[in-house]
Every structure is written in C-alpha cells, then in structure tokens.
Amino acid sequence: QVHLVESGGGLVQAGGSLTLSCAASGNIGSINDMGWYRQAPGKERELVAVKTSGGSTNYVDSVKGRFTISRANAKNTVYLQMNSLKPEDTAVYYCNLHQWRVDYFGKGTLVTVSS
C-alpha cells in the first residue's frame, strides 16, 4: 500500500507563488513517476507535471515556464514550485505516484488564486 500526503496549498493573489509538497510512504519502488494533477470546479482532473525517477519531466502547456517540479528521491518526496499564479490555476491539487502500472493519489490540497 502507498500513502501520499500533500501540503502547501492556500490562498494567494494573482502573480504570487506557492510551493506544494508531497511525501510518499509505504511500498515505494525505485522506479516510478511522481507528479501532480489538479481539478478545478466543473472540470476534469488534468495532469499538471510529472517527473520520473530517471529525471525526465513533463508539464501541461498552461504551466510551462511558471511551474517547476522536483523530487527528493531519497525522501520519496515531490515538490511543485508554482510562480506567476493565475486565477485559472485555482484547483484542488493532487499528488500522484505511478508505479507497477498502478496510480496512487493523495487527498488533495486546495490552491486558490485571487484576482
């Protein structure tokens, strides 16, 4: 079993910054992807950013140049540095771990960006 706990969400003004953190525990393998999804009200959940254990990264186009994903593999932790936040970034952000063809999600942390 895998357990993911997010932290770092909150309320920020447009143009501001936030950093999300996610700590994974349990049966964590050495090869996996860790990333962040988000779901805005009335919208489907979307992948925001992912980083593989090998170091490759991928971002949704809408956050490129503003968000940075990083990992501390020894701590099974993933971070999402979010800069130049926009009201449309408002959503619940979910940490994700993908390994052995299984997706695990945390309970989510709310990010609200006011205009």
Side-chain angles (χ1 to χ4, degrees), residues 49-84:
V50 62
K51 186 159 189 170
T52 69
S53 50
S56 298
T57 58
N58 193 30
Y59 297 91
V60 67
D61 286 346
S62 60
V63 308
K64 287 180 180 178
R66 300 188 298 121
F67 291 10
T68 302
I69 188 169
S70 60
R71 291 180 58 158
N73 288 335
K75 297 180 180 180
N76 292 321
T77 301
V78 64
Y79 306 94
L80 187 67
Q81 173 67 45
M82 305 184 292
N83 298 326
S84 302

Side-chain angles (χ1 to χ4, degrees), residues 13-105:
Q13 289 188 332
S17 298
L18 280 176
T19 300
L20 305 182
S21 301
C22 172
S25 61
N27 190 14
I28 310 296
S30 60
I31 300 175
N32 54 56
D33 300 339
M34 292 190 77
W36 294 91
Y37 284 70
R38 68 184 178 186
Q39 187 166 18
K43 295 188 177 181
E44 294 186 354
R45 188 176 296 190
E46 66 170 351
L47 176 64
V48 177
V50 62
K51 186 159 189 170
T52 69
S53 50
S56 298
T57 58
N58 193 30
Y59 297 91
V60 67
D61 286 346
S62 60
V63 308
K64 287 180 180 178
R66 300 188 298 121
F67 291 10
T68 302
I69 188 169
S70 60
R71 291 180 58 158
N73 288 335
K75 297 180 180 180
N76 292 321
T77 301
V78 64
Y79 306 94
L80 187 67
Q81 173 67 45
M82 305 184 292
N83 298 326
S84 302
L85 282 160
K86 304 175 180 179
E88 50 264 44
D89 295 318
T90 294
V92 177
Y93 284 70
Y94 298 91
C95 179
N96 169 258
L97 173 71
H98 179 85
Q99 67 176 14
W100 304 322
R101 302 180 183 178
V102 178
D103 279 299
Y104 300 91
F105 289 94

